[in-house]
Amino acid sequence: MVEPADRPSTAGHRLGAPESFGVSTLEPGLSPPGQAPGRKVSIRVQMLDDTQEVFQISQRSPGKVLFDLICVHLNLAEGDYFGLEYQDQRKMTVWLDLLKPTMKQIRRPKNTILRFVVKFFPPDHTQIMEELTQYLFALQIKRDLACGNLICNDSSAALMVSHIIQSEIGDFDETQSWQHLLHNKYLPDQDAIRDKITDCHRKHVGQTPAESDYQLLEIARRLEMYGVRLHPAKDREGTKLSLAVAHTGVLVFQGYTKINAFNWSKIRKLSFKRKRFLIKLRADPAQSGHHDTLEFAMASRDCCKIFWKICVEYHAFFRLFEEPKAKPKPILFTRGSSFRFSGRTQKQIIDYVKDSEPKKVPFERKHSKILSSSNMPHQSSSFRSQVPKETATSVPMEDLPDSARQVDKDAQEVPGTTVSATNGFADNSADTRHNHQGTGLPPDKRLLNPGSPTSEASPLKTNGILNREVPIGVVPPSQLSPLSSPLLGDAGYVRNEDEDEARRKKFPTDKAYFIAKELLTTERTYLKELQVVTESFQRIAEKDEEAFPVAVRNLISGNYDPIYKFHQGFLKEVEQRLAQWEGRSNAHIKGDYQRIGDVLLKNIQSLKQLTTHLQKHSECLVELERTCRSSRKAEALCGELEQQKVCYLPLNVFLLRPLHRLLHYKLILERLCKHYPPTHEDFRDCRAALADITEMVLQLQGTMMKMENFQKLLELKKDLTGIDNLAIPGREFIRLGCLSKLSGKGLQHRMFFLFSDSLVYTSRGMTSSNQFKVHGQLPLFGMTITESEEEWGVPHAFTLYGQRQSVVVAASCAAEMERWLEDIRMAIDLAEQSNGPHMDLLSTSPCDNKLPEEGGAEHESEEELCGSRSSLERQAQRGNTTVHVCWHRNTSVSMVDFSIAVENQLSGNLLRKFKNSNGWQKLWVVFTNFSLFFYKSHQDDYPLASLPLLGYSVTVPSESENIHKDYVFKLHFKSHVYYFRSESEYTFERWMEVIRSATCSTSRTLPSNRKDLY
């Protein structure tokens, strides 16, 4: 093979890969790298479409040369998802090592056929940018179904096969479809569900091959056996099991049922010794007798090594940002394996495809008998334009997202839902109560009338709608969480439900509209929060110019004012688009305004130009704290600002809001991409905007997490007295909450604060500021912990053994005890891994740490906490922070809970009703910091009242409560009961989701990727 002397650099070169190592997926049309001189050998490779190709390589060429030849042959830019597998001389299926010479691995090339197959299965197929790559993945799913590797129920199997047939023969024709099924085998037991397959196929009219691939992957990725390759093994008792590896970690199967999963963050080391495969875990605090090392017996040492290698590659591909570097070869002795992952990681693939603007490469669908966009002439376009544009319908199915549920072509038009002109809430009449789910399609006369949404069941009749997985994010610090207000009483306000119900108008019912409306409502709240920094703080700083140096004022104004001006313009564009979407605009220009992706894409690209300002926000927080620490005047002025009603959260929280807002945009765009079918005209813009905002989040995430921890330490410092040097480098906040400490006088109520180096316990002070007075400190270095319920006869008790003292404490329930044990054990491990104990937390004055007499401490009751006084009138006393709420409601909150709360911020109109009242009152409600803040309207500058949700339960009203309205949820704590009514199914789900994240401990378990933060 003759190679050109000068050729453009390959993708691997542009990514910084060394010349002789790693997979360098080539640009379409370019030649592979030069081969080593020597005799050529022929290698046969079977492709995913069952064709066989022969490639000529040098005998001394590494495996990556052959792999690059195949990628060039296919014009494949995302080739790193794939690999070459073959059967070696031991009849074992292995992967071709791309760093080793091919001929040293394939002893008999004439009798060996390599198979080009998918090696790494991403969790979300929308991360695959090119249509060709999605087509190859669809072929892999087709093969796995036919071989019986992809186990699923009959409904999912029939639906997937119907999409395969649609991509091969096109629209349903009874005779042709029946004959096609007779002559092609897609499932081992295909004949038993042939009728189901044809029933599904007849509903795919108009669906293109590219769309069929997309829908096939959408269903497959949700299956438990998606991408799973089982490796037989046995446990210690000799039970037959199977091991597998996925993007999340190592999986354990019994038969085809997954019985255990070990996340990458929980795995400390993977190794093998002879026939034993070893998984060494990080300490598991949840089970005292849990083994640190799990052992599985496999058939042979070679089986262990094969599985260990694929685990190493999966971990590197999905968890690392770049290809791991090669270790230097030892001079004398070698120890262990030198095997490593070679090639681009998933992040590098995504970044490369996005940055290189690849062309849409034509390719042939071997089994397809219909014209596809893949066979059209080659046209240049960006990666965003590669989404299929053909219009189609998909099958209503539980396995598919709501956005894929579309109406059949024979569906009749349903009357549009009417709403009140005053509050915008939907009518609950029988003929419209189900019309709150959008179709996800653009208004196109070829399909259906825009006013004809799919009829769906009410969410109040289902059980699974409330169990939503909470996304993992970063923390907002906690501050004033007001607990009571006259607004939560039943007097003084006129109920306006009758007036609202009297005036109605046409209202969009598409789910995308309500997602866009969430963007609008949260943007309004965000802009108000920015005003605290750009206006309120600047006014306070100008009162005394000597307190705040000019450099500090210029730093803050110079980096927040441009952000505020940008979001002012962004909010106006969103408001205008929503007005056009609702039909309230008087614009005579005809156009399709029922989308939001184009507005998001345009503004996020503009926001990327302000990244420099966003990066400076951490410096603003640090400089402001340094100024307050060195100047009592500055500290007093900041305290004065925090006592104003407009500053309903700590000032430092508002300084971090621009970084948090990026996470909100990302989540909104993820919901839009999940809702839209790939053919929707808004899908391309949403996916492109999602790629841009994801890049920004990744760029700023490290800074964000550090600043959130720093802000939390500063906030806790205000709640504690008798403590020094809390916010020092290296210290991480982990958990705070109530525990009962066993002393000579019995169990005493104490507030505990867990940090990465020590555990501090406090009591409620008698000071005017309601601070907690530190009683003692337990260094974590050298600490041990045991459960001691039987020893002391106290339920949920455990003992902490420090180097200087031991403490017996008891939690309020078993779940609280498990959470504390898990976090304390994790913190002990971190303390032991560090260089030693940190400096002492307590004040140097011994008298400062002396606890007042137990009987003399002031204990505020929960009823006083929920009294009639407005919580905003008590901000100066700092009596209603999250710390105080945990104290009175006997619960705890971790840094992970604050992390989840950052993403789960929500704003919007709700109707509120009390237990014994008849009318509904319209309020503007903001959910943040584990609390609901109530306003008369979104134009108000500050909240009138608030309701902390820690300890509350959220449910759907029962029939006996006579709440004959849709989309109503109930908040309940002791004798306090509130009902809230939302305007649509989507908003109902969102409010339930975010409130559950603050009220249900089951939804606040420690996410795997947050453990690494500590």
Side-chain angles (χ1 to χ4, degrees):
M1 181 178 295
V2 180
E3 298 296 326
D6 298 320
R7 58 180 180 84
S9 61
T10 64
H13 295 156
R14 288 193 298 275
L15 289 168
E19 176 66 26
S20 58
F21 296 100
V23 179
S24 299
T25 303
L26 301 175
E27 296 276 11
L30 292 186
S31 300
Q35 300 185 24
R39 189 167 61 89
K40 298 290 192 299
V41 292
S42 299
I43 303 294
R44 283 189 298 166
V45 179
Q46 181 171 318
M47 301 299 182
L48 281 165
D49 60 0
D50 295 329
T51 60
Q52 287 190 10
E53 302 289 343
V54 179
F55 297 89
Q56 298 284 334
I57 64 169
S58 171
Q59 281 187 327
R60 289 184 290 174
S61 296
K64 87 179 194 68
V65 172
L66 175 61
F67 189 82
D68 282 346
L69 285 172
I70 297 172
C71 292
V72 170
H73 173 74
L74 295 174
N75 280 340
L76 183 61
E78 295 173 300
D80 300 82
Y81 288 105
F82 302 84
L84 293 167
E85 66 176 10
Y86 65 98
Q87 274 196 343
D88 61 8
Q89 66 273 16
R90 301 159 299 180
K91 301 299 181 183
M92 301 177 68
T93 301
V94 295
W95 293 101
L96 184 72
D97 192 328
L98 301 180
L99 296 181
K100 293 183 178 180
T102 303
M103 298 311 299
K104 285 190 177 182
Q105 304 176 67
I106 306 174
R107 300 296 183 181
R108 304 174 64 185
K110 292 183 179 180
N111 300 327
T112 303
I113 299 178
L114 280 74
R115 293 181 296 274
F116 182 81
V117 295
V118 176
K119 188 174 185 178
F120 302 106
F121 290 81
D124 186 2
H125 63 95
T126 59
Q127 296 171 337
I128 302 171
M129 300 297 182
E130 292 198 344
E131 183 183 331
L132 170 60
T133 315
Q134 291 199 356
Y135 167 64
L136 295 176
F137 267 77
L139 291 179
Q140 183 68 60
I141 299 301
K142 176 184 174 182
R143 175 178 292 183
D144 290 346
L145 282 172
C147 297
N149 292 332
L150 188 57
I151 306 299
C152 59
N153 58 45
D154 289 346
S155 298
S156 298
L159 185 59
M160 286 191 288
V161 173
S162 69
H163 284 299
I164 295 173
I165 298 174
Q166 175 71 22
S167 69
E168 292 181 354
I169 66 173
D171 292 346
F172 176 80
D173 178 86
E174 188 167 358
T175 304
Q176 184 185 15
S177 299
W178 194 259
Q179 290 294 326
H180 193 76
L181 280 172
L182 286 176
H183 292 91
N184 294 274
K185 197 75 170 178
Y186 297 103
L187 297 168
D189 54 346
Q190 179 174 298
D191 295 338
I193 60 172
R194 190 178 299 168
D195 292 334
K196 282 188 176 181
I197 296 173
T198 55
D199 289 341
C200 293
H201 185 202
R202 71 175 72 246
K203 298 175 183 178
H204 298 327
V205 176
Q207 190 165 282
T208 64
E211 274 188 273
S212 298
D213 293 344
Y214 183 93
Q215 298 294 350
L216 175 64
L217 297 177
E218 178 66 24
I219 302 166
R221 75 181 181 91
R222 299 170 184 269
L223 302 177
E224 195 171 65
M225 295 296 293
Y226 167 68
V228 170
R229 299 294 180 263
L230 299 178
H231 298 254
K234 293 181 181 179
D235 61 8
R236 291 176 182 266
E237 289 74 32
T239 306
K240 291 184 177 180
L241 303 170
S242 295
L243 299 179
V245 62
H247 68 281
T248 55
V250 180
L251 313 177
V252 183
F253 286 80
Q254 191 166 24
Y256 294 109
T257 303
K258 184 171 69 175
I259 61 173
N260 210 340
F262 302 101
N263 198 285
W264 293 124
S265 62
K266 296 182 180 179
I267 297 175
R268 183 165 53 90
K269 184 180 180 181
L270 292 175
S271 61
F272 64 94
K273 187 175 183 181
R274 296 186 180 91
K275 296 195 300 183
R276 293 177 297 146
F277 185 82
L278 306 176
I279 303 177
K280 296 184 178 180
L281 301 174
R282 304 184 191 277
D284 187 1
Q287 302 180 19
S288 57
H290 185 72
H291 295 286
D292 182 47
T293 301
L294 298 176
E295 181 177 314
F296 298 90
M298 305 188 81
S300 65
R301 179 185 182 276
D302 292 331
C303 293
C304 285
K305 188 172 184 179
I306 290 171
F307 183 62
W308 175 80
K309 282 186 174 181
I310 189 62
C311 288
V312 171
E313 290 182 308
Y314 253 82
H315 177 269
F317 183 81
F318 287 107
R319 298 275 289 182
L320 301 185
F321 283 173
E322 60 184 7
E323 176 187 355
K325 305 296 182 184
K327 296 180 180 179
K329 292 184 178 181
I331 300 175
L332 295 176
F333 303 100
T334 61
R335 183 179 179 181
S337 174
S338 61
F339 177 81
R340 65 180 178 90
F341 168 75
S342 60
R344 295 181 296 180
T345 64
Q346 187 190 32
K347 181 182 183 300
Q348 287 180 306
I349 298 172
I350 294 174
D351 292 344
Y352 165 65
V353 175
K354 181 181 66 173
D355 296 336
S356 61
E357 299 268 327
K359 299 179 180 180
K360 186 169 183 179
V361 179
F363 63 94
E364 178 185 2
R365 293 176 179 267
K366 180 175 180 293
H367 301 286
S368 181
K369 301 178 182 179
I370 58 178
L371 183 64
S372 168
S373 61
S374 312
N375 306 108
M376 299 302 289
H378 190 101
Q379 293 181 359
S380 175
S381 63
S382 68
F383 80 95
R384 297 189 293 269
S385 65
Q386 296 184 38
V387 182
K389 299 181 180 179
E390 294 83 4
T391 305
T393 58
S394 59
V395 180
M397 173 97 181
E398 293 178 354
D399 291 337
L400 295 180
D402 293 342
S403 60
R405 302 177 185 174
Q406 304 173 5
V407 236
D408 193 89
K409 63 175 182 177
D410 298 325
Q412 299 295 322
E413 180 176 345
V414 182
T417 304
T418 57
V419 299
S420 164
T422 303
N423 61 20
F425 281 72
D427 185 21
N428 296 284
S429 56
D431 59 338
T432 60
R433 69 177 58 193
H434 299 305
N435 298 332
H436 301 279
Q437 175 60 51
T439 64
L441 289 173
D444 193 333
K445 63 182 180 180
R446 294 172 296 176
L447 290 178
L448 64 149
N449 189 287
S452 307
T454 306
S455 178
E456 300 222 2
S458 171
L460 306 183
K461 304 296 188 291
T462 62
N463 297 324
I465 194 170
L466 304 180
N467 299 326
R468 306 291 295 273
E469 182 180 353
V470 182
I472 300 169
V474 275
V475 261
S478 152
Q479 209 254 15
L480 301 177
S481 295
L483 294 169
S484 58
S485 167
L487 196 63
L488 300 181
D490 196 20
Y493 281 86
V494 179
R495 307 299 183 225
N496 56 15
E497 182 192 9
D498 294 336
E499 298 174 351
D500 293 341
E501 297 286 347
R503 297 188 295 269
R504 311 199 178 276
K505 64 177 181 179
K506 293 289 182 182
F507 207 63
T509 57
D510 186 4
K511 182 179 178 179
Y513 164 78
F514 293 108
I515 299 176
K517 191 170 183 180
E518 178 184 337
L519 173 66
L520 171 64
T521 55
T522 53
E523 190 73 10
R524 284 171 173 168
T525 300
Y526 170 58
L527 208 62
K528 288 287 185 183
E529 292 175 335
L530 278 182
Q531 288 178 354
V532 176
V533 179
T534 59
E535 297 179 7
S536 302
F537 173 77
Q538 294 297 337
R539 284 197 296 267
I540 287 289
E542 290 171 359
K543 282 187 175 181
D544 190 345
E545 296 183 356
E546 296 180 359
F548 293 93
V550 177
V552 175
R553 282 184 281 131
N554 291 342
L555 178 67
I556 294 177
S557 62
N559 289 290
Y560 281 86
D561 289 348
I563 300 293
Y564 177 73
K565 292 178 181 178
F566 164 78
H567 285 284
Q568 276 185 314
F570 179 40
L571 177 60
K572 289 180 181 178
E573 288 190 44
V574 176
E575 287 177 335
Q576 181 180 5
R577 177 56 56 88
L578 265 292
Q580 293 168 338
W581 201 329
E582 295 169 357
R584 293 186 285 109
S585 173
N586 295 324
H588 62 280
I589 304 175
K590 295 183 180 179
D592 178 20
Y593 297 113
Q594 296 187 356
R595 54 180 178 155
I596 196 66
D598 56 334
V599 177
L600 278 166
L601 178 59
K602 170 192 168 185
N603 284 276
I604 287 176
Q605 289 176 344
S606 300
L607 184 60
K608 288 180 70 175
Q609 308 302 319
L610 301 176
T611 304
T612 305
H613 296 295
L614 294 172
Q615 292 172 336
K616 286 283 188 178
H617 287 182
S618 60
E619 183 181 346
C620 295
L621 178 60
V622 172
E623 289 299 321
L624 180 61
E625 168 59 21
R626 184 179 290 118
T627 301
C628 292
R629 192 168 60 245
S630 60
S631 171
R632 289 194 174 185
K633 288 184 178 180
E635 184 179 12
L637 288 174
C638 288
E640 180 184 340
L641 174 60
E642 289 188 341
Q643 292 179 19
Q644 296 181 10
K645 293 182 179 181
V646 69
C647 192
Y648 63 97
L649 295 174
L651 175 61
N652 291 340
V653 175
F654 295 114
L655 291 173
L656 295 179
R657 277 298 193 246
L659 297 178
H660 295 162
R661 189 58 178 160
L662 300 180
L663 299 174
H664 303 159
Y665 293 148
K666 181 174 180 288
L667 293 173
I668 288 173
L669 283 163
E670 286 175 349
R671 284 192 287 271
L672 283 169
C673 290
K674 183 179 179 181
H675 167 70
Y676 283 134
T679 54
H680 196 283
E681 58 184 356
D682 206 23
F683 179 81
R684 288 176 297 160
D685 290 337
C686 288
R687 192 171 71 170
L690 177 59
D692 290 337
I693 199 66
T694 301
E695 180 183 354
M696 293 183 66
V697 170
L698 289 174
Q699 184 179 356
L700 297 168
Q701 192 168 18
T703 301
M704 192 187 310
M705 290 188 294
K706 290 179 181 178
M707 287 302 102
E708 285 163 346
N709 180 74
F710 179 63
Q711 190 278 332
K712 193 61 194 170
L713 293 175
L714 295 179
E715 186 58 26
L716 291 177
K717 186 178 178 182
K718 297 179 181 179
D719 284 314
L720 301 175
T721 181
I723 194 168
D724 289 335
N725 303 319
L726 185 59
I728 64 172
R731 176 169 291 141
E732 301 276 350
F733 163 70
I734 297 178
R735 180 175 289 275
L736 65 86
C738 256
L739 292 172
S740 297
K741 178 178 175 291
L742 186 63
S743 65
K745 297 183 179 181
L747 291 174
Q748 302 292 334
H749 208 42
R750 293 288 175 264
M751 195 71 183
F752 280 72
F753 299 84
L754 177 62
F755 302 98
S756 58
D757 59 339
S758 61
L759 179 65
V760 176
Y761 53 99
T762 66
S763 67
R764 179 69 178 272
M766 300 175 60
T767 62
S768 59
S769 59
N770 287 323
Q771 290 177 301
F772 285 83
K773 191 166 187 177
V774 176
H775 186 205
Q777 171 193 7
L778 294 173
L780 297 179
F781 187 80
M783 178 185 285
T784 58
I785 181 170
T786 59
E787 298 182 21
S788 51
E789 293 185 2
E790 297 180 358
E791 179 181 355
W792 298 100
V794 178
H796 319 306
F798 54 95
T799 305
L800 303 169
Y801 297 96
Q803 293 181 339
R804 291 177 291 182
Q805 67 178 118
S806 61
V807 175
V808 180
V809 295
S812 59
C813 61
E816 273 293 302
M817 182 181 74
E818 289 182 7
R819 284 192 283 271
W820 275 104
L821 288 176
E822 180 181 8
D823 285 347
I824 292 174
R825 284 172 175 153
M826 180 180 65
I828 291 173
D829 290 342
L830 292 176
E832 292 177 350
Q833 294 171 10
S834 64
N835 296 328
H838 286 287
M839 66 177 65
D840 195 54
L841 278 169
L842 304 184
S843 298
T844 54
S845 174
C847 60
D848 291 341
N849 303 323
K850 185 176 179 181
L851 187 70
E853 293 297 325
E854 303 293 344
E858 178 185 355
H859 296 281
E860 184 179 0
S861 67
E862 177 66 35
E863 292 303 319
E864 292 173 339
L865 206 59
C866 294
S868 60
R869 287 180 297 164
S870 171
S871 58
L872 297 173
E873 297 172 358
R874 304 163 58 195
Q875 287 189 8
Q877 300 174 345
R878 296 191 56 79
N880 296 321
T881 65
T882 304
V883 177
H884 290 80
V885 176
C886 290
W887 168 265
H888 289 289
R889 296 184 180 172
N890 201 17
T891 186
S892 67
V893 177
S894 71
M895 194 63 173
V896 177
D897 298 325
F898 289 107
S899 162
I900 294 171
V902 167
E903 295 182 354
N904 287 332
Q905 296 181 31
L906 195 60
S907 308
N909 286 313
L910 288 175
L911 298 180
R912 190 216 57 196
K913 177 184 178 300
F914 296 100
K915 183 177 181 181
N916 299 319
S917 64
N918 296 323
W920 295 84
Q921 177 187 357
K922 179 187 174 186
L923 297 169
W924 176 262
V925 184
V926 174
F927 174 86
T928 186
N929 204 44
F930 308 109
S931 301
L932 294 177
F933 294 88
F934 301 98
Y935 301 72
K936 284 186 178 180
S937 73
H938 69 85
Q939 297 174 339
D940 291 357
D941 292 328
Y942 55 87
L944 300 175
S946 62
L947 179 67
L949 298 178
L950 291 174
Y952 268 78
S953 60
V954 56
T955 57
V956 176
S958 61
E959 293 291 335
S960 60
E961 294 175 270
N962 296 322
I963 305 294
H964 302 298
K965 301 289 183 182
D966 281 344
Y967 314 129
V968 175
F969 58 90
K970 170 186 174 182
L971 287 175
H972 178 262
F973 177 77
K974 293 185 177 179
S975 60
H976 306 280
V977 178
Y978 307 99
Y979 300 99
F980 292 92
R981 178 180 162 203
S982 56
E983 63 179 339
S984 69
E985 178 182 345
Y986 172 78
T987 52
F988 170 84
E989 292 178 21
R990 287 289 294 136
W991 280 106
M992 290 291 287
E993 178 184 355
V994 300
I995 292 177
R996 275 180 175 266
S997 71
T999 59
C1000 299
S1001 59
T1002 55
S1003 66
R1004 293 184 289 152
T1005 54
L1006 186 63
S1008 58
N1009 66 339
R1010 296 294 298 181
K1011 286 187 178 181
D1012 299 333
L1013 301 183
Y1014 303 130

